[in-house]
Amino acid sequence: MTTTRPAGPAAGPREVVGAGEAACHHGEILQGVFLDERRRPCHALVTLPMHGPGAHAAFLRRSDDGPDAVTVTPPGRAKARAAALLAVRACAAHRGVEPCGGELRLSGDLPVGLGMGSSTSDVIATVRAVADSYRLRLAPQTIARLAVRAEGACDPLMLGPGPLLFAQRQGRVLEALGTALPPALVVGCTLGGGAPVDTLSLSARTDDDREPARYERLRRMLRTAVADADPALLGRVSTASARLGQRVLHHPEFETLTAIADRTGATGVQIAHSGNVAGLLFDPRAPGLHRRVRHCLRALDGDGMTPTVNFSTGTNSGTTTGATPPDRRGDHRPHHRPGPHLPERGPLPWTSTSPRPSADRT
């Protein structure tokens, strides 16, 4: 349940409105096959959280409608509708009443298909809105279970920004790695011209006998990076994970991206494992940071990898890669330069960061 209620349909005498929202992320720091508490191979991931806009949902529950009579605006959000149907039944059972349908309205400016958790954000916001209409606040673990049932796998957006090794197909945490990721400035960009990725078309990962051993090593490295607040080790982990992910993703820009990271002194790169969003990680304490980021932005632009956002891990203020921060008194949408295939759902969000270095600083 949330305190911010997006605009939604007015409720009649036999109608109740609920609202919910959910954040997004910027792809993964680490994703692969790990060993669970019983030493069984398990697919899991660690996302790179972002503060900023995600999905908003309003659910108008109508007691006269049957439990399957749920409409969704905008149309085509099948996963969100599935989540609404599941949440209606779960909440009604908790209240001891008959389930009923209603109208779900989704809004937000998170692009689809770039690997930023857009579908999970929709699903979580939907579940929270349905629960709010029943005047319930569901536990994050309950929301995770409903999300997995609705979309087959989900990101850990319902569990907060702390770094978690999360089994996305089971909706459970394998390990809480700490309270926050190491400090890093992330310079975001899009690959593939910003075109969305059909995650169902991605080939399955190669799960040979060596796979868990490789990823368990990266897990230990990430655990140390978090404990020591070490941005250099964080970059090594994310780059290694992204390189292993190339066996499935085959981004033609990958070597160029890593070369830019090397030339500009970034600690590493991170790439969404189910989309075209990527980022270069910088140590915010490194000397010449403004100059490094400026050169990085120019290099990305020159090689056709459109810069999108820059943000810092573990903070709450945000801006875009524009030369100056947005006016916080007015429009908070980014003045970005979208790729030719940026989805119509909306612009990339500006997120948590200190102001981007302007182009005339060294």
Side-chain angles (χ1 to χ4, degrees):
M1 184 166 57
T2 62
T3 56
T4 302
R5 294 176 180 268
R14 300 178 66 83
E15 300 171 337
V16 182
V17 175
E21 58 187 20
C24 63
H25 62 75
H26 198 265
E28 288 72 37
I29 288 290
L30 176 61
Q31 180 169 345
V33 178
F34 303 84
L35 299 178
D36 68 8
E37 67 280 359
R38 297 176 61 181
R39 309 294 295 174
R40 298 170 301 185
C42 181
H43 289 264
L45 52 78
V46 180
T47 58
L48 178 58
M50 297 173 68
H51 298 277
H56 302 267
F59 183 69
L60 176 62
R61 179 165 58 89
R62 297 191 179 99
S63 58
D64 291 337
D65 289 352
D68 294 327
V70 172
T71 61
V72 183
T73 304
R77 304 287 178 85
K79 293 176 181 178
R81 183 177 184 275
L85 295 174
L86 291 168
V88 160
R89 285 167 168 78
C91 293
H94 182 86
R95 286 297 190 195
V97 298
E98 289 296 318
C100 60
E103 179 183 349
L104 173 66
R105 292 190 181 182
L106 296 166
S107 61
D109 54 5
L110 182 60
V112 298
L114 291 187
M116 299 176 70
S118 60
S119 62
T120 295
S121 188
D122 274 354
V123 164
I124 294 172
T126 294
V127 171
R128 287 173 171 166
V130 171
D132 193 28
S133 76
Y134 282 90
R135 302 303 178 249
L136 294 173
R137 183 169 186 147
L138 300 181
Q141 295 78 7
T142 301
I143 297 175
R145 288 194 295 270
L146 292 173
V148 169
R149 291 179 62 191
E151 56 175 336
C154 71
D155 299 308
L157 299 174
M158 72 293 292
L159 295 168
L164 302 170
L165 183 63
F166 184 76
Q168 71 269 27
R169 299 179 183 179
Q170 301 173 17
R172 66 188 183 97
V173 175
L174 297 187
E175 181 181 354
L177 295 163
T179 57
L181 287 172
L185 175 65
V186 184
V187 177
C189 64
T190 55
L191 309 179
V197 170
D198 178 8
T199 56
L200 297 178
S201 68
L202 296 176
S203 59
R205 292 180 175 273
T206 303
D207 297 335
D208 59 28
D209 292 339
R210 298 171 296 170
E211 187 105 3
R214 290 171 175 166
Y215 285 108
E216 282 297 321
R217 178 174 177 271
L218 293 179
R219 176 185 187 174
R220 292 191 296 271
M221 290 171 63
L222 183 56
R223 189 186 297 139
T224 300
V226 171
D228 295 346
D230 186 342
L233 189 54
L234 176 70
R236 287 175 55 195
V237 171
S238 63
T239 302
S241 180
R243 191 172 294 280
L244 288 170
Q246 275 293 97
R247 294 175 298 170
V248 175
L249 301 174
H250 308 298
H251 288 297
E253 307 99 329
F254 181 77
E255 296 302 333
T256 302
L257 189 69
T258 55
I260 292 174
D262 290 340
R263 291 202 311 268
T264 58
T267 65
V269 302
Q270 63 88 210
I271 295 178
H273 287 242
S274 58
N276 275 330
V277 70
L280 291 89
L281 310 181
F282 288 85
D283 183 343
R285 302 163 299 189
L289 177 64
H290 294 288
R291 173 178 50 82
R292 295 172 190 270
V293 172
R294 182 190 66 193
H295 291 168
C296 175
L297 292 168
R298 288 178 176 174
L300 290 172
D301 240 352
D303 283 306
M305 291 174 280
T306 305
T308 52
V309 295
N310 58 339
F311 65 98
S312 298
T313 58
T315 60
N316 291 308
S317 60
T319 189
T320 65
T321 54
T324 57
D327 183 354
R328 294 182 185 277
R329 297 169 298 175
D331 185 10
H332 285 186
R333 294 165 68 117
H335 299 83
H336 71 293
R337 291 164 292 173
H341 303 294
L342 194 67
E344 294 297 326
R345 184 169 178 179
L348 288 168
W350 62 270
T351 57
S352 54
T353 185
S354 52
R356 174 211 184 264
S358 60
D360 59 352
R361 297 182 67 176
T362 56

